Amino acid sequence: MTSSVSSRTDGSYWNETRRPLTCLAFVLPWLMAYEGGLWWLGGGDALRNGADSWLRIGLAALGGTAWWILPAAMVVVLLVWHMAAGDSWRIHWNALGGMLSESVLFAFLLILLGQSLERGQRLVLDVGEPLLGVAVRSIGFVGAGLYEEFLFRLCLIPLAYAICRAVLLPRSWALGVTLVATSFAFSVAHYLGPVPDGQSLSLLTDAVARVQSHRELWFGFAFRTIAGLVFGGLFCLRGFGIAVGAHALYDIIVGVVLVAEL
């Protein structure tokens, strides 16, 4: 146990980026920018990202309606993970710059992947969107990076992996099944029906049926599944922080800097 802890806290950049405390230090400015941006824009729940809204609906069903509960939950999960791992409380702050660089790199690599699978989609510079519109979209994309990674990677990957191991799947098979299943769920979630005034989400089977019956949705579904595998791989290999950064920056670059024209 001692040797495993020391291997995680030896100060090397590769290990540092995967430490929960370092991930918390990296995502905290994103979290503050998102929640602060929503407050500044005065949009409230109307501007919240989908995963943010889904998680808040679940919390509200348990009686947790205060706005700060969900961001606090992310912080608490990372701190509990940190303490359970027995890591040092020291943070190598110079690693954060490298994590940002990696996030930019992986975001651009995912853009290139999307272009190679585009099937007629063409990305052009967005030169006409009003500044307020850019701010609204950017804040929403930061929320997607934060809360979609929190839900589908930080929460679901450990849970799905534990279930796979509980049914005696070998480690490699358990990891593969986990990444595929959570990536599929990540993609399906983008095709759920609307959530009007506290009513429940549409069934996952309805979302799958919707995709199956509309050929024009197949490319988007396949790409989101691949993106889920990419973010899942980043989470496992490079840590939660880089997965959040790459996801948020990808969405901002594609949704604000570049615009898809069908």
Side-chain angles (χ1 to χ4, degrees):
M1 180 65 177
T2 303
S3 60
S4 64
V5 171
S6 62
S7 67
R8 290 194 301 267
T9 58
D10 61 4
S12 70
Y13 173 74
W14 179 268
N15 289 321
E16 186 68 21
T17 63
R18 293 182 290 171
R19 295 179 59 228
L21 190 63
T22 305
C23 291
L24 176 58
F26 181 75
V27 303
L28 198 57
W30 297 88
L31 192 58
M32 295 172 64
Y34 175 64
E35 297 293 348
L38 289 176
W39 173 82
W40 175 65
L41 291 169
D45 293 340
L47 298 180
R48 289 194 177 277
N49 162 260
D52 184 1
S53 298
W54 306 331
L55 287 164
R56 290 179 186 278
I57 289 171
L59 287 172
L62 298 175
T65 57
W67 71 268
W68 53 265
I69 291 180
L70 184 55
M74 184 183 297
V75 173
V76 169
V77 167
L78 288 168
L79 287 176
V80 169
W81 179 15
H82 167 77
M83 290 185 287
D87 283 350
S88 166
W89 286 92
R90 180 184 178 188
I91 297 176
H92 295 267
W93 296 101
N94 55 346
L96 301 186
M99 293 172 72
L100 181 59
S101 299
E102 276 199 69
S103 298
V104 173
L105 171 64
F106 290 125
F108 273 105
L109 288 177
L110 195 57
I111 290 171
L112 293 177
L113 176 61
Q115 287 181 311
S116 69
L117 300 174
E118 61 184 340
R119 294 183 183 181
Q121 289 191 355
R122 183 167 56 89
L123 299 178
V124 297
L125 286 176
D126 173 22
V127 296
E129 191 171 12
L131 182 59
L132 182 59
V134 170
V136 170
R137 293 168 67 83
S138 297
I139 291 298
F141 292 141
V142 171
L146 284 165
Y147 289 116
E148 288 181 9
E149 292 308 302
F150 177 66
L151 174 59
F152 292 102
R153 257 62 71 176
L154 189 58
C155 294
L156 288 189
I157 283 183
L159 177 61
Y161 182 78
I163 293 173
C164 288
R165 292 292 288 153
V167 297
L168 304 181
L169 280 180
R171 291 181 183 274
S172 57
W173 277 92
L175 181 59
V177 170
T178 293
L179 290 177
V180 171
T182 56
S183 299
F184 183 81
F186 169 73
S187 185
V188 169
H190 288 80
Y191 299 92
L192 292 171
V195 190
D197 297 331
Q199 296 181 21
S200 61
L201 292 170
S202 300
L203 295 175
L204 291 177
T205 52
D206 292 340
V208 173
R210 186 177 302 115
V211 173
Q212 288 179 329
S213 61
H214 294 81
R215 291 173 61 90
E216 67 274 13
L217 300 179
W218 290 1
F219 164 74
F221 183 84
F223 177 71
R224 287 186 174 96
T225 302
I226 294 172
L229 289 169
V230 171
F231 294 136
L234 287 177
F235 171 76
C236 294
L237 295 175
R238 303 304 300 122
F240 176 68
I242 289 176
V244 168
H247 190 154
L249 288 170
Y250 167 79
D251 283 356
I252 290 172
I253 292 168
V254 171
V256 177
V257 180
L258 301 170
V259 176
E261 285 191 351
L262 298 179

